[in-house]
Amino acid sequence: MEELVGVAEIREMLGGNLSRQRVHVITSHRDFPAPAQKLKMGHVWLKRDVEEWIKNRK
């Protein structure tokens, strides 16, 4: 089963020092991976896609 992450987990993956609002801005960029699902509670992404995006940004 693929591991999913939301805004809180992405914030931690990015170092934890960003605001939730800033993470929402980052995840809305066109180069950020598309969400795996759009739920009522918010979007979720495949963790491996987010990890790859972070790796390519450094």
Side-chain angles (χ1 to χ4, degrees), residues 3 5 7-8 13-14 17 20-21 24 28 33 50 57-58:
E3 190 170 353
V5 294
V7 170
M13 293 168 73
L14 293 171
N17 57 352
R20 287 182 60 83
Q21 182 178 13
H24 280 288
S28 67
V50 176
R57 299 284 295 177
K58 292 186 177 185

Side-chain angles (χ1 to χ4, degrees), residues 3-57:
E3 190 170 353
L4 300 173
V5 294
V7 170
E9 291 82 11
I10 293 170
R11 181 175 180 254
E12 290 174 6
M13 293 168 73
L14 293 171
N17 57 352
L18 300 172
S19 69
R20 287 182 60 83
Q21 182 178 13
R22 180 67 182 137
V23 175
H24 280 288
V25 170
I26 290 169
T27 59
S28 67
H29 286 184
R30 68 175 182 258
D31 70 334
F32 197 81
Q37 291 290 319
K38 297 178 181 180
L39 307 174
K40 287 183 181 180
M41 56 71 66
H43 297 168
V44 291
W45 293 262
L46 294 175
K47 184 176 182 180
R48 65 178 162 83
D49 290 348
V50 176
E51 288 171 334
E52 185 68 23
W53 182 85
I54 291 170
K55 178 182 165 188
N56 290 332
R57 299 284 295 177

